[in-house]
Amino acid sequence: EAQVTQNPRYLITVTGKKLTVTCSQNMNHEYMSWYRQDPGLGLRQIYYSMNVEVTDKGDVPEGYKVSRKEKRNFPLILESPSPNQTSLYFCASSLRQGVADTQYFGPGTRLTVL
Amino acid sequence: QKEVEQNSGPLSVPEGAIASLNCTYSDRGSQSFFWYRQYSGKSPELIMFIYSNGDKEDGRFTAQLNKASQYVSLLIRDSQPSDSATYLCAASRRYSGGGADGLTFGKGTHLIIQP
């Protein structure tokens, strides 16, 4: 089954404790992206990657890191999480980012930073 | 700064009627537009995309694009209670290198279909 998976789905952590949210897709997609979704603010892009070893900042990259060492994986790293990073996070992928390309979203990761 | 604007709603529509959802965008460089549906606590799922001026129909859904007015809309015919969800409008911009730098989402319109 074609899908985007994220782990963990739910995470409660404390300020300053490094964490990684994994994202993996099995569709051989070139483009991958991370979003956060907050009430009243909608979906905002954190980072995106056009292909292996190619990443770029989205609208809200502060406090996050990403890497794209393999085509299928695009982990999101929070080196020192803070309470304002409490949010619902989505990973998405598409064959390529451009006209008419469908972005497939993962199931989401609900993160709480105490 | 790229912006996509939507009325947050809620928009209440009786079952069987046409639901009309609207979206405006600020970036004239935006070339393709997407409508996603999101149920509470779930991930967004694509309904339709459109990149040419005019209408595009897919089943009960029709997307409309007017680039001169920077306006995108989604019509849902014969609305069903299962259509009750938040609808997200998104715009993509293609840069000169041939790719695009991601999607900018509106904050979404909450649609309620009344049985």
Side-chain angles (χ1 to χ4, degrees), chain A residues 31 35 37 40-43 45 48 50 90 97-103 105-106, chain B residues 34 36 38 42-44 46 49 51 88 92 94 99-103 105 107:
Chain A
Y31 181 93
Y35 297 89
Q37 188 173 37
L41 297 177
L43 271 170
Q45 189 179 51
Y48 64 97
M50 301 290 286
F90 290 104
Q97 181 57 38
V99 172
D101 279 345
T102 301
Q103 281 208 11
F105 281 81
Chain B
F34 302 81
Y36 283 82
Q38 187 177 25
K42 303 296 185 182
S43 56
L46 183 76
F49 60 83
Y51 53 87
L88 306 174
S92 174
R94 181 177 292 276
D101 62 0
L103 291 181
F105 282 86
K107 294 178 182 177

PDB file of all heavy atoms in Angstrom, chain A residues 31 35 37 40-43 45 48 50 90 97-103 105-106, chain B residues 34 36 38 42-44 46 49 51 88 92 94 99-103 105 107:
ATOM      1  N   TYR A  31       9.931  14.645  -3.683  1.00  0.00           N
ATOM      2  CA  TYR A  31       9.665  15.805  -2.840  1.00  0.00           C
ATOM      3  C   TYR A  31       9.075  15.365  -1.506  1.00  0.00           C
ATOM      4  O   TYR A  31       8.127  14.568  -1.466  1.00  0.00           O
ATOM      5  CB  TYR A  31       8.686  16.731  -3.556  1.00  0.00           C
ATOM      6  CG  TYR A  31       8.345  17.996  -2.804  1.00  0.00           C
ATOM      7  CD1 TYR A  31       9.056  19.169  -3.018  1.00  0.00           C
ATOM      8  CD2 TYR A  31       7.297  18.019  -1.889  1.00  0.00           C
ATOM      9  CE1 TYR A  31       8.746  20.331  -2.332  1.00  0.00           C
ATOM     10  CE2 TYR A  31       6.984  19.179  -1.193  1.00  0.00           C
ATOM     11  CZ  TYR A  31       7.706  20.329  -1.436  1.00  0.00           C
ATOM     12  OH  TYR A  31       7.397  21.473  -0.751  1.00  0.00           O
ATOM     13  N   TYR A  35       5.185  19.960   7.845  1.00  0.00           N
ATOM     14  CA  TYR A  35       4.300  21.046   8.217  1.00  0.00           C
ATOM     15  C   TYR A  35       3.963  20.926   9.702  1.00  0.00           C
ATOM     16  O   TYR A  35       3.961  19.842  10.271  1.00  0.00           O
ATOM     17  CB  TYR A  35       2.979  20.976   7.447  1.00  0.00           C
ATOM     18  CG  TYR A  35       3.097  21.127   5.946  1.00  0.00           C
ATOM     19  CD1 TYR A  35       3.308  20.016   5.131  1.00  0.00           C
ATOM     20  CD2 TYR A  35       2.977  22.372   5.345  1.00  0.00           C
ATOM     21  CE1 TYR A  35       3.409  20.146   3.757  1.00  0.00           C
ATOM     22  CE2 TYR A  35       3.072  22.518   3.970  1.00  0.00           C
ATOM     23  CZ  TYR A  35       3.281  21.398   3.189  1.00  0.00           C
ATOM     24  OH  TYR A  35       3.370  21.526   1.826  1.00  0.00           O
ATOM     25  N   GLN A  37       0.699  22.243  12.277  1.00  0.00           N
ATOM     26  CA  GLN A  37      -0.646  22.785  12.225  1.00  0.00           C
ATOM     27  C   GLN A  37      -1.066  23.203  13.614  1.00  0.00           C
ATOM     28  O   GLN A  37      -1.053  22.395  14.549  1.00  0.00           O
ATOM     29  CB  GLN A  37      -1.635  21.763  11.662  1.00  0.00           C
ATOM     30  CG  GLN A  37      -3.023  22.344  11.405  1.00  0.00           C
ATOM     31  CD  GLN A  37      -3.924  21.372  10.685  1.00  0.00           C
ATOM     32  OE1 GLN A  37      -3.894  20.169  10.928  1.00  0.00           O
ATOM     33  NE2 GLN A  37      -4.738  21.881   9.760  1.00  0.00           N
ATOM     34  N   GLY A  40      -6.003  28.196  14.547  1.00  0.00           N
ATOM     35  CA  GLY A  40      -5.993  29.598  14.171  1.00  0.00           C
ATOM     36  C   GLY A  40      -4.865  30.004  13.245  1.00  0.00           C
ATOM     37  O   GLY A  40      -4.891  31.099  12.683  1.00  0.00           O
ATOM     38  N   LEU A  41      -3.861  29.138  13.089  1.00  0.00           N
ATOM     39  CA  LEU A  41      -2.713  29.467  12.236  1.00  0.00           C
ATOM     40  C   LEU A  41      -2.635  28.591  11.004  1.00  0.00           C
ATOM     41  O   LEU A  41      -1.871  28.861  10.080  1.00  0.00           O
ATOM     42  CB  LEU A  41      -1.409  29.348  13.026  1.00  0.00           C
ATOM     43  CG  LEU A  41      -1.266  30.302  14.207  1.00  0.00           C
ATOM     44  CD1 LEU A  41       0.033  30.030  14.946  1.00  0.00           C
ATOM     45  CD2 LEU A  41      -1.302  31.757  13.730  1.00  0.00           C
ATOM     46  N   GLY A  42      -3.373  27.510  10.996  1.00  0.00           N
ATOM     47  CA  GLY A  42      -3.396  26.650   9.818  1.00  0.00           C
ATOM     48  C   GLY A  42      -2.130  25.829   9.674  1.00  0.00           C
ATOM     49  O   GLY A  42      -1.330  25.687  10.611  1.00  0.00           O
ATOM     50  N   LEU A  43      -1.921  25.301   8.481  1.00  0.00           N
ATOM     51  CA  LEU A  43      -0.745  24.500   8.150  1.00  0.00           C
ATOM     52  C   LEU A  43       0.383  25.420   7.708  1.00  0.00           C
ATOM     53  O   LEU A  43       0.214  26.223   6.800  1.00  0.00           O
ATOM     54  CB  LEU A  43      -1.063  23.552   6.991  1.00  0.00           C
ATOM     55  CG  LEU A  43      -1.617  22.176   7.302  1.00  0.00           C
ATOM     56  CD1 LEU A  43      -2.071  21.516   6.023  1.00  0.00           C
ATOM     57  CD2 LEU A  43      -0.558  21.318   7.987  1.00  0.00           C
ATOM     58  N   GLN A  45       4.555  25.446   6.566  1.00  0.00           N
ATOM     59  CA  GLN A  45       5.649  24.589   6.140  1.00  0.00           C
ATOM     60  C   GLN A  45       6.902  24.874   6.970  1.00  0.00           C
ATOM     61  O   GLN A  45       7.302  26.034   7.142  1.00  0.00           O
ATOM     62  CB  GLN A  45       5.934  24.810   4.661  1.00  0.00           C
ATOM     63  CG  GLN A  45       6.918  23.803   4.073  1.00  0.00           C
ATOM     64  CD  GLN A  45       7.146  24.036   2.609  1.00  0.00           C
ATOM     65  OE1 GLN A  45       7.439  25.147   2.180  1.00  0.00           O
ATOM     66  NE2 GLN A  45       7.024  22.986   1.811  1.00  0.00           N
ATOM     67  N   TYR A  48      11.425  21.636   3.537  1.00  0.00           N
ATOM     68  CA  TYR A  48      11.086  20.743   2.453  1.00  0.00           C
ATOM     69  C   TYR A  48      12.361  20.241   1.783  1.00  0.00           C
ATOM     70  O   TYR A  48      13.450  20.789   1.990  1.00  0.00           O
ATOM     71  CB  TYR A  48      10.159  21.403   1.431  1.00  0.00           C
ATOM     72  CG  TYR A  48      10.736  22.583   0.684  1.00  0.00           C
ATOM     73  CD1 TYR A  48      11.302  22.436  -0.579  1.00  0.00           C
ATOM     74  CD2 TYR A  48      10.693  23.862   1.244  1.00  0.00           C
ATOM     75  CE1 TYR A  48      11.815  23.513  -1.256  1.00  0.00           C
ATOM     76  CE2 TYR A  48      11.214  24.946   0.572  1.00  0.00           C
ATOM     77  CZ  TYR A  48      11.766  24.779  -0.687  1.00  0.00           C
ATOM     78  OH  TYR A  48      12.275  25.858  -1.357  1.00  0.00           O
ATOM     79  N   MET A  50      13.682  18.744  -2.084  1.00  0.00           N
ATOM     80  CA  MET A  50      13.377  18.444  -3.482  1.00  0.00           C
ATOM     81  C   MET A  50      13.948  17.084  -3.891  1.00  0.00           C
ATOM     82  O   MET A  50      13.473  16.489  -4.857  1.00  0.00           O
ATOM     83  CB  MET A  50      13.951  19.528  -4.388  1.00  0.00           C
ATOM     84  CG  MET A  50      13.429  20.923  -4.092  1.00  0.00           C
ATOM     85  SD  MET A  50      11.712  21.112  -4.561  1.00  0.00           S
ATOM     86  CE  MET A  50      11.878  21.186  -6.335  1.00  0.00           C
ATOM     87  N   PHE A  90       2.780  17.229  10.393  1.00  0.00           N
ATOM     88  CA  PHE A  90       2.503  16.366   9.253  1.00  0.00           C
ATOM     89  C   PHE A  90       3.712  16.328   8.321  1.00  0.00           C
ATOM     90  O   PHE A  90       4.294  17.364   8.001  1.00  0.00           O
ATOM     91  CB  PHE A  90       1.306  16.871   8.445  1.00  0.00           C
ATOM     92  CG  PHE A  90      -0.011  16.720   9.139  1.00  0.00           C
ATOM     93  CD1 PHE A  90      -0.644  17.813   9.709  1.00  0.00           C
ATOM     94  CD2 PHE A  90      -0.627  15.479   9.211  1.00  0.00           C
ATOM     95  CE1 PHE A  90      -1.864  17.683  10.345  1.00  0.00           C
ATOM     96  CE2 PHE A  90      -1.854  15.326   9.841  1.00  0.00           C
ATOM     97  CZ  PHE A  90      -2.464  16.436  10.410  1.00  0.00           C
ATOM     98  N   GLN A  97       7.417  18.365  -6.832  1.00  0.00           N
ATOM     99  CA  GLN A  97       6.587  19.503  -6.457  1.00  0.00           C
ATOM    100  C   GLN A  97       6.391  20.356  -7.683  1.00  0.00           C
ATOM    101  O   GLN A  97       7.315  20.898  -8.216  1.00  0.00           O
ATOM    102  CB  GLN A  97       7.251  20.330  -5.344  1.00  0.00           C
ATOM    103  CG  GLN A  97       6.400  21.520  -4.897  1.00  0.00           C
ATOM    104  CD  GLN A  97       5.032  21.125  -4.416  1.00  0.00           C
ATOM    105  OE1 GLN A  97       4.862  20.103  -3.760  1.00  0.00           O
ATOM    106  NE2 GLN A  97       4.010  21.909  -4.720  1.00  0.00           N
ATOM    107  N   GLY A  98       5.207  20.462  -8.136  1.00  0.00           N
ATOM    108  CA  GLY A  98       4.948  21.252  -9.321  1.00  0.00           C
ATOM    109  C   GLY A  98       3.488  21.184  -9.675  1.00  0.00           C
ATOM    110  O   GLY A  98       2.663  20.774  -8.878  1.00  0.00           O
ATOM    111  N   VAL A  99       3.196  21.557 -10.843  1.00  0.00           N
ATOM    112  CA  VAL A  99       1.810  21.588 -11.288  1.00  0.00           C
ATOM    113  C   VAL A  99       1.199  20.201 -11.217  1.00  0.00           C
ATOM    114  O   VAL A  99       1.757  19.224 -11.690  1.00  0.00           O
ATOM    115  CB  VAL A  99       1.737  22.120 -12.734  1.00  0.00           C
ATOM    116  CG1 VAL A  99       0.339  21.967 -13.279  1.00  0.00           C
ATOM    117  CG2 VAL A  99       2.175  23.566 -12.784  1.00  0.00           C
ATOM    118  N   ALA A 100       0.068  20.145 -10.589  1.00  0.00           N
ATOM    119  CA  ALA A 100      -0.762  18.942 -10.616  1.00  0.00           C
ATOM    120  C   ALA A 100      -0.181  17.757  -9.862  1.00  0.00           C
ATOM    121  O   ALA A 100      -0.652  16.646 -10.035  1.00  0.00           O
ATOM    122  CB  ALA A 100      -1.072  18.530 -12.056  1.00  0.00           C
ATOM    123  N   ASP A 101       0.804  17.953  -9.020  1.00  0.00           N
ATOM    124  CA  ASP A 101       1.323  16.807  -8.275  1.00  0.00           C
ATOM    125  C   ASP A 101       0.637  16.693  -6.922  1.00  0.00           C
ATOM    126  O   ASP A 101       0.621  17.634  -6.144  1.00  0.00           O
ATOM    127  CB  ASP A 101       2.825  16.933  -8.082  1.00  0.00           C
ATOM    128  CG  ASP A 101       3.588  16.506  -9.306  1.00  0.00           C
ATOM    129  OD1 ASP A 101       3.000  15.862 -10.181  1.00  0.00           O
ATOM    130  OD2 ASP A 101       4.772  16.814  -9.387  1.00  0.00           O
ATOM    131  N   THR A 102       0.116  15.547  -6.660  1.00  0.00           N
ATOM    132  CA  THR A 102      -0.589  15.312  -5.415  1.00  0.00           C
ATOM    133  C   THR A 102       0.391  15.165  -4.271  1.00  0.00           C
ATOM    134  O   THR A 102       1.341  14.402  -4.358  1.00  0.00           O
ATOM    135  CB  THR A 102      -1.423  14.029  -5.530  1.00  0.00           C
ATOM    136  OG1 THR A 102      -2.347  14.169  -6.594  1.00  0.00           O
ATOM    137  CG2 THR A 102      -2.153  13.744  -4.229  1.00  0.00           C
ATOM    138  N   GLN A 103       0.163  15.880  -3.207  1.00  0.00           N
ATOM    139  CA  GLN A 103       0.934  15.662  -1.983  1.00  0.00           C
ATOM    140  C   GLN A 103       0.171  14.689  -1.093  1.00  0.00           C
ATOM    141  O   GLN A 103      -0.994  14.890  -0.796  1.00  0.00           O
ATOM    142  CB  GLN A 103       1.167  16.984  -1.234  1.00  0.00           C
ATOM    143  CG  GLN A 103       2.274  17.817  -1.830  1.00  0.00           C
ATOM    144  CD  GLN A 103       2.953  18.706  -0.799  1.00  0.00           C
ATOM    145  OE1 GLN A 103       2.742  18.578   0.394  1.00  0.00           O
ATOM    146  NE2 GLN A 103       3.773  19.625  -1.281  1.00  0.00           N
ATOM    147  N   PHE A 105      -0.150  13.017   2.525  1.00  0.00           N
ATOM    148  CA  PHE A 105       0.190  13.362   3.898  1.00  0.00           C
ATOM    149  C   PHE A 105       0.267  12.118   4.775  1.00  0.00           C
ATOM    150  O   PHE A 105      -0.499  11.168   4.613  1.00  0.00           O
ATOM    151  CB  PHE A 105      -0.853  14.313   4.485  1.00  0.00           C
ATOM    152  CG  PHE A 105      -0.676  15.736   4.045  1.00  0.00           C
ATOM    153  CD1 PHE A 105      -1.145  16.157   2.810  1.00  0.00           C
ATOM    154  CD2 PHE A 105      -0.047  16.650   4.873  1.00  0.00           C
ATOM    155  CE1 PHE A 105      -0.988  17.471   2.401  1.00  0.00           C
ATOM    156  CE2 PHE A 105       0.128  17.967   4.477  1.00  0.00           C
ATOM    157  CZ  PHE A 105      -0.345  18.379   3.239  1.00  0.00           C
ATOM    158  N   GLY A 106       1.192  12.146   5.720  1.00  0.00           N
ATOM    159  CA  GLY A 106       1.234  11.129   6.750  1.00  0.00           C
ATOM    160  C   GLY A 106       0.108  11.342   7.749  1.00  0.00           C
ATOM    161  O   GLY A 106      -0.612  12.340   7.684  1.00  0.00           O
TER     162      GLY A 106
ATOM    163  N   PHE B  34      -4.641  23.914  -5.034  1.00  0.00           N
ATOM    164  CA  PHE B  34      -5.108  22.626  -4.543  1.00  0.00           C
ATOM    165  C   PHE B  34      -6.202  22.841  -3.506  1.00  0.00           C
ATOM    166  O   PHE B  34      -6.163  23.784  -2.711  1.00  0.00           O
ATOM    167  CB  PHE B  34      -3.941  21.869  -3.875  1.00  0.00           C
ATOM    168  CG  PHE B  34      -2.760  21.646  -4.797  1.00  0.00           C
ATOM    169  CD1 PHE B  34      -1.834  22.645  -5.020  1.00  0.00           C
ATOM    170  CD2 PHE B  34      -2.574  20.430  -5.420  1.00  0.00           C
ATOM    171  CE1 PHE B  34      -0.742  22.456  -5.857  1.00  0.00           C
ATOM    172  CE2 PHE B  34      -1.486  20.210  -6.250  1.00  0.00           C
ATOM    173  CZ  PHE B  34      -0.572  21.234  -6.472  1.00  0.00           C
ATOM    174  N   TYR B  36      -7.815  20.691  -0.381  1.00  0.00           N
ATOM    175  CA  TYR B  36      -7.708  19.529   0.487  1.00  0.00           C
ATOM    176  C   TYR B  36      -8.885  19.523   1.455  1.00  0.00           C
ATOM    177  O   TYR B  36      -9.367  20.574   1.879  1.00  0.00           O
ATOM    178  CB  TYR B  36      -6.412  19.566   1.305  1.00  0.00           C
ATOM    179  CG  TYR B  36      -5.167  19.194   0.546  1.00  0.00           C
ATOM    180  CD1 TYR B  36      -4.507  20.130  -0.240  1.00  0.00           C
ATOM    181  CD2 TYR B  36      -4.649  17.905   0.621  1.00  0.00           C
ATOM    182  CE1 TYR B  36      -3.355  19.789  -0.935  1.00  0.00           C
ATOM    183  CE2 TYR B  36      -3.493  17.554  -0.062  1.00  0.00           C
ATOM    184  CZ  TYR B  36      -2.863  18.502  -0.841  1.00  0.00           C
ATOM    185  OH  TYR B  36      -1.723  18.159  -1.528  1.00  0.00           O
ATOM    186  N   GLN B  38      -9.985  18.070   5.256  1.00  0.00           N
ATOM    187  CA  GLN B  38      -9.394  17.557   6.482  1.00  0.00           C
ATOM    188  C   GLN B  38     -10.482  17.342   7.522  1.00  0.00           C
ATOM    189  O   GLN B  38     -11.148  18.296   7.941  1.00  0.00           O
ATOM    190  CB  GLN B  38      -8.324  18.517   7.024  1.00  0.00           C
ATOM    191  CG  GLN B  38      -7.566  17.957   8.213  1.00  0.00           C
ATOM    192  CD  GLN B  38      -6.460  18.870   8.698  1.00  0.00           C
ATOM    193  OE1 GLN B  38      -6.496  20.086   8.507  1.00  0.00           O
ATOM    194  NE2 GLN B  38      -5.448  18.293   9.345  1.00  0.00           N
ATOM    195  N   LYS B  42      -7.460  14.376  11.631  1.00  0.00           N
ATOM    196  CA  LYS B  42      -6.910  13.551  10.547  1.00  0.00           C
ATOM    197  C   LYS B  42      -6.016  14.378   9.637  1.00  0.00           C
ATOM    198  O   LYS B  42      -5.939  15.597   9.752  1.00  0.00           O
ATOM    199  CB  LYS B  42      -8.051  12.933   9.726  1.00  0.00           C
ATOM    200  CG  LYS B  42      -9.021  12.096  10.532  1.00  0.00           C
ATOM    201  CD  LYS B  42      -8.348  10.882  11.125  1.00  0.00           C
ATOM    202  CE  LYS B  42      -9.353   9.992  11.827  1.00  0.00           C
ATOM    203  NZ  LYS B  42      -8.687   8.823  12.465  1.00  0.00           N
ATOM    204  N   SER B  43      -5.338  13.689   8.735  1.00  0.00           N
ATOM    205  CA  SER B  43      -4.451  14.396   7.814  1.00  0.00           C
ATOM    206  C   SER B  43      -5.225  14.913   6.608  1.00  0.00           C
ATOM    207  O   SER B  43      -6.280  14.375   6.248  1.00  0.00           O
ATOM    208  CB  SER B  43      -3.317  13.469   7.375  1.00  0.00           C
ATOM    209  OG  SER B  43      -3.830  12.285   6.801  1.00  0.00           O
ATOM    210  N   PRO B  44      -4.726  15.958   5.977  1.00  0.00           N
ATOM    211  CA  PRO B  44      -5.390  16.488   4.777  1.00  0.00           C
ATOM    212  C   PRO B  44      -5.350  15.473   3.636  1.00  0.00           C
ATOM    213  O   PRO B  44      -4.373  14.758   3.464  1.00  0.00           O
ATOM    214  CB  PRO B  44      -4.552  17.725   4.428  1.00  0.00           C
ATOM    215  CG  PRO B  44      -3.829  18.075   5.671  1.00  0.00           C
ATOM    216  CD  PRO B  44      -3.575  16.782   6.369  1.00  0.00           C
ATOM    217  N   LEU B  46      -6.213  15.223  -0.632  1.00  0.00           N
ATOM    218  CA  LEU B  46      -6.451  16.037  -1.814  1.00  0.00           C
ATOM    219  C   LEU B  46      -7.816  15.745  -2.422  1.00  0.00           C
ATOM    220  O   LEU B  46      -8.200  14.582  -2.607  1.00  0.00           O
ATOM    221  CB  LEU B  46      -5.370  15.766  -2.862  1.00  0.00           C
ATOM    222  CG  LEU B  46      -5.485  16.637  -4.121  1.00  0.00           C
ATOM    223  CD1 LEU B  46      -4.985  18.049  -3.818  1.00  0.00           C
ATOM    224  CD2 LEU B  46      -4.683  16.044  -5.278  1.00  0.00           C
ATOM    225  N   PHE B  49      -7.008  19.588  -7.889  1.00  0.00           N
ATOM    226  CA  PHE B  49      -6.056  20.637  -8.202  1.00  0.00           C
ATOM    227  C   PHE B  49      -6.527  21.341  -9.470  1.00  0.00           C
ATOM    228  O   PHE B  49      -7.272  20.773 -10.273  1.00  0.00           O
ATOM    229  CB  PHE B  49      -4.651  20.084  -8.390  1.00  0.00           C
ATOM    230  CG  PHE B  49      -4.550  19.078  -9.506  1.00  0.00           C
ATOM    231  CD1 PHE B  49      -4.396  19.486 -10.818  1.00  0.00           C
ATOM    232  CD2 PHE B  49      -4.599  17.721  -9.230  1.00  0.00           C
ATOM    233  CE1 PHE B  49      -4.311  18.552 -11.847  1.00  0.00           C
ATOM    234  CE2 PHE B  49      -4.516  16.787 -10.244  1.00  0.00           C
ATOM    235  CZ  PHE B  49      -4.375  17.208 -11.557  1.00  0.00           C
ATOM    236  N   TYR B  51      -4.934  24.441 -12.433  1.00  0.00           N
ATOM    237  CA  TYR B  51      -3.864  25.359 -12.801  1.00  0.00           C
ATOM    238  C   TYR B  51      -4.204  26.210 -14.009  1.00  0.00           C
ATOM    239  O   TYR B  51      -3.442  27.092 -14.384  1.00  0.00           O
ATOM    240  CB  TYR B  51      -2.540  24.633 -13.016  1.00  0.00           C
ATOM    241  CG  TYR B  51      -2.599  23.484 -13.982  1.00  0.00           C
ATOM    242  CD1 TYR B  51      -2.423  23.666 -15.334  1.00  0.00           C
ATOM    243  CD2 TYR B  51      -2.834  22.202 -13.514  1.00  0.00           C
ATOM    244  CE1 TYR B  51      -2.483  22.596 -16.212  1.00  0.00           C
ATOM    245  CE2 TYR B  51      -2.892  21.123 -14.375  1.00  0.00           C
ATOM    246  CZ  TYR B  51      -2.716  21.323 -15.734  1.00  0.00           C
ATOM    247  OH  TYR B  51      -2.779  20.268 -16.590  1.00  0.00           O
ATOM    248  N   LEU B  88      -9.155  23.061   2.982  1.00  0.00           N
ATOM    249  CA  LEU B  88      -7.940  23.858   2.891  1.00  0.00           C
ATOM    250  C   LEU B  88      -7.633  24.183   1.439  1.00  0.00           C
ATOM    251  O   LEU B  88      -7.608  23.287   0.585  1.00  0.00           O
ATOM    252  CB  LEU B  88      -6.755  23.095   3.495  1.00  0.00           C
ATOM    253  CG  LEU B  88      -6.914  22.584   4.921  1.00  0.00           C
ATOM    254  CD1 LEU B  88      -5.716  21.727   5.317  1.00  0.00           C
ATOM    255  CD2 LEU B  88      -7.066  23.745   5.886  1.00  0.00           C
ATOM    256  N   SER B  92       0.737  26.751  -4.964  1.00  0.00           N
ATOM    257  CA  SER B  92       2.110  26.358  -5.212  1.00  0.00           C
ATOM    258  C   SER B  92       2.750  27.350  -6.165  1.00  0.00           C
ATOM    259  O   SER B  92       2.080  27.856  -7.065  1.00  0.00           O
ATOM    260  CB  SER B  92       2.150  24.963  -5.826  1.00  0.00           C
ATOM    261  OG  SER B  92       3.467  24.616  -6.199  1.00  0.00           O
ATOM    262  N   ARG B  94       6.004  27.980  -8.800  1.00  0.00           N
ATOM    263  CA  ARG B  94       7.119  27.378  -9.516  1.00  0.00           C
ATOM    264  C   ARG B  94       8.223  28.411  -9.661  1.00  0.00           C
ATOM    265  O   ARG B  94       7.981  29.523 -10.071  1.00  0.00           O
ATOM    266  CB  ARG B  94       6.668  26.899 -10.894  1.00  0.00           C
ATOM    267  CG  ARG B  94       7.778  26.220 -11.695  1.00  0.00           C
ATOM    268  CD  ARG B  94       7.227  25.724 -13.013  1.00  0.00           C
ATOM    269  NE  ARG B  94       6.285  24.633 -12.797  1.00  0.00           N
ATOM    270  CZ  ARG B  94       6.651  23.363 -12.653  1.00  0.00           C
ATOM    271  NH1 ARG B  94       7.921  23.029 -12.688  1.00  0.00           N
ATOM    272  NH2 ARG B  94       5.746  22.430 -12.463  1.00  0.00           N
ATOM    273  N   GLY B  99      11.377  23.726 -10.407  1.00  0.00           N
ATOM    274  CA  GLY B  99      10.628  23.105  -9.316  1.00  0.00           C
ATOM    275  C   GLY B  99       9.723  24.138  -8.666  1.00  0.00           C
ATOM    276  O   GLY B  99       9.351  25.123  -9.260  1.00  0.00           O
ATOM    277  N   ALA B 100       9.381  23.908  -7.459  1.00  0.00           N
ATOM    278  CA  ALA B 100       8.540  24.866  -6.733  1.00  0.00           C
ATOM    279  C   ALA B 100       8.980  24.867  -5.283  1.00  0.00           C
ATOM    280  O   ALA B 100       9.606  23.918  -4.821  1.00  0.00           O
ATOM    281  CB  ALA B 100       7.075  24.503  -6.853  1.00  0.00           C
ATOM    282  N   ASP B 101       8.683  25.924  -4.597  1.00  0.00           N
ATOM    283  CA  ASP B 101       9.177  26.011  -3.228  1.00  0.00           C
ATOM    284  C   ASP B 101       8.107  25.697  -2.207  1.00  0.00           C
ATOM    285  O   ASP B 101       8.112  26.245  -1.126  1.00  0.00           O
ATOM    286  CB  ASP B 101       9.826  27.372  -2.970  1.00  0.00           C
ATOM    287  CG  ASP B 101       8.848  28.523  -3.119  1.00  0.00           C
ATOM    288  OD1 ASP B 101       7.671  28.274  -3.427  1.00  0.00           O
ATOM    289  OD2 ASP B 101       9.274  29.659  -2.925  1.00  0.00           O
ATOM    290  N   GLY B 102       7.205  24.840  -2.533  1.00  0.00           N
ATOM    291  CA  GLY B 102       6.279  24.322  -1.548  1.00  0.00           C
ATOM    292  C   GLY B 102       4.870  24.848  -1.707  1.00  0.00           C
ATOM    293  O   GLY B 102       4.549  25.577  -2.631  1.00  0.00           O
ATOM    294  N   LEU B 103       4.044  24.456  -0.789  1.00  0.00           N
ATOM    295  CA  LEU B 103       2.651  24.873  -0.771  1.00  0.00           C
ATOM    296  C   LEU B 103       2.432  25.865   0.350  1.00  0.00           C
ATOM    297  O   LEU B 103       2.935  25.690   1.455  1.00  0.00           O
ATOM    298  CB  LEU B 103       1.723  23.679  -0.554  1.00  0.00           C
ATOM    299  CG  LEU B 103       1.608  22.651  -1.677  1.00  0.00           C
ATOM    300  CD1 LEU B 103       0.628  21.568  -1.274  1.00  0.00           C
ATOM    301  CD2 LEU B 103       1.194  23.305  -2.975  1.00  0.00           C
ATOM    302  N   PHE B 105      -0.667  27.207   2.508  1.00  0.00           N
ATOM    303  CA  PHE B 105      -2.047  26.845   2.815  1.00  0.00           C
ATOM    304  C   PHE B 105      -2.804  28.019   3.404  1.00  0.00           C
ATOM    305  O   PHE B 105      -2.257  28.812   4.173  1.00  0.00           O
ATOM    306  CB  PHE B 105      -2.080  25.696   3.826  1.00  0.00           C
ATOM    307  CG  PHE B 105      -1.792  24.348   3.235  1.00  0.00           C
ATOM    308  CD1 PHE B 105      -0.483  23.908   3.088  1.00  0.00           C
ATOM    309  CD2 PHE B 105      -2.818  23.515   2.838  1.00  0.00           C
ATOM    310  CE1 PHE B 105      -0.204  22.660   2.550  1.00  0.00           C
ATOM    311  CE2 PHE B 105      -2.554  22.271   2.304  1.00  0.00           C
ATOM    312  CZ  PHE B 105      -1.254  21.849   2.154  1.00  0.00           C
ATOM    313  N   LYS B 107      -5.978  29.013   6.029  1.00  0.00           N
ATOM    314  CA  LYS B 107      -6.275  28.474   7.355  1.00  0.00           C
ATOM    315  C   LYS B 107      -7.472  27.539   7.347  1.00  0.00           C
ATOM    316  O   LYS B 107      -7.756  26.886   8.344  1.00  0.00           O
ATOM    317  CB  LYS B 107      -6.501  29.619   8.343  1.00  0.00           C
ATOM    318  CG  LYS B 107      -5.233  30.425   8.563  1.00  0.00           C
ATOM    319  CD  LYS B 107      -5.461  31.591   9.508  1.00  0.00           C
ATOM    320  CE  LYS B 107      -4.166  32.390   9.646  1.00  0.00           C
ATOM    321  NZ  LYS B 107      -4.339  33.590  10.507  1.00  0.00           N
TER     322      LYS B 107
END
